[in-house]
Amino acid sequence: MLLAVLFANSEGNILVERFNGVPAEERLHWRSFLVKLGAENLKGAKNEELLVACHKSVYIVYTVLGDVSIYVVGKDEYDELALSEVIFVITSAVKDVCVKPPTERLFLDKYGKICLCLDEIVWKGYLENTDKERIKRLIRLKPPVDF
């Protein structure tokens, strides 16, 4: 199961988070742990360079994309190899939405579409869609119509 997907800025502030199967009382621990992990290891990392960690029998794959850090946490069948596939799909979707590696400002400007992409990629803790074209089709925002 995918336990968490988090996006943070370079200062460690959470921009987007999705938890699945993580009790509310443990979420603060995970937030602070992941941000600290990124602060220690992502300095000087190249765009989309994957880093891997293990904590409490769960796997963590994380990377930096522009000014945004992305963390994916999984357990059981979602080991580091499966999580690398998940983070690849997420980074591809973010790059498609933002057209380039995002600054924090650009990320926040495209917040709605990024959240829609994330919802189409990960559903209830499982990887749902990996095809870029399918995700694009599913997230198209249609204007409201008059009845």
Side-chain angles (χ1 to χ4, degrees):
M1 173 176 262
L2 286 166
L3 297 176
V5 177
L6 279 90
F7 291 82
N9 65 9
S10 53
E11 288 84 41
N13 299 315
I14 304 296
L15 302 174
V16 177
E17 66 179 22
R18 296 285 194 276
F19 286 102
N20 301 293
V22 177
E25 59 272 5
E26 288 184 25
R27 293 178 184 186
L28 180 60
H29 163 75
W30 277 107
R31 283 185 204 108
S32 58
F33 175 77
L34 293 172
V35 168
K36 183 179 176 193
L37 185 69
E40 293 170 357
N41 298 313
L42 287 174
K43 291 217 187 317
K46 297 177 197 155
N47 263 353
E48 299 182 69
E49 178 183 358
L50 298 182
L51 297 154
V52 178
C54 188
H55 178 69
K56 292 186 175 179
S57 74
V58 300
Y59 297 99
I60 304 157
V61 175
Y62 55 110
T63 190
V64 65
L65 183 65
D67 293 343
V68 178
S69 303
I70 305 169
Y71 305 88
V72 180
V73 182
K75 68 176 185 176
D76 300 332
E77 71 272 18
Y78 285 96
D79 61 4
E80 61 268 26
L81 186 59
L83 292 178
S84 66
E85 175 68 22
V86 173
I87 207 164
F88 174 76
V89 174
I90 291 171
T91 55
S92 296
V94 170
K95 284 192 299 186
D96 284 350
V97 169
C98 294
V99 184
K100 58 184 180 181
T103 61
E104 182 181 355
R105 176 80 245 147
L106 180 58
F107 185 90
L108 293 174
D109 286 344
K110 304 289 185 177
Y111 180 83
K113 276 203 168 198
I114 290 170
C115 288
L116 286 172
C117 283
L118 197 53
D119 291 342
E120 293 301 333
I121 294 168
V122 177
W123 179 251
K124 295 187 178 181
Y126 294 97
L127 181 62
E128 175 90 0
N129 291 304
T130 59
D131 180 44
K132 243 197 304 196
E133 294 306 312
R134 180 173 166 78
I135 293 167
K136 279 183 188 177
R137 272 195 327 274
L138 290 169
I139 66 159
R140 268 188 271 173
L141 295 174
K142 298 178 183 169
V145 292
D146 294 326
F147 290 100

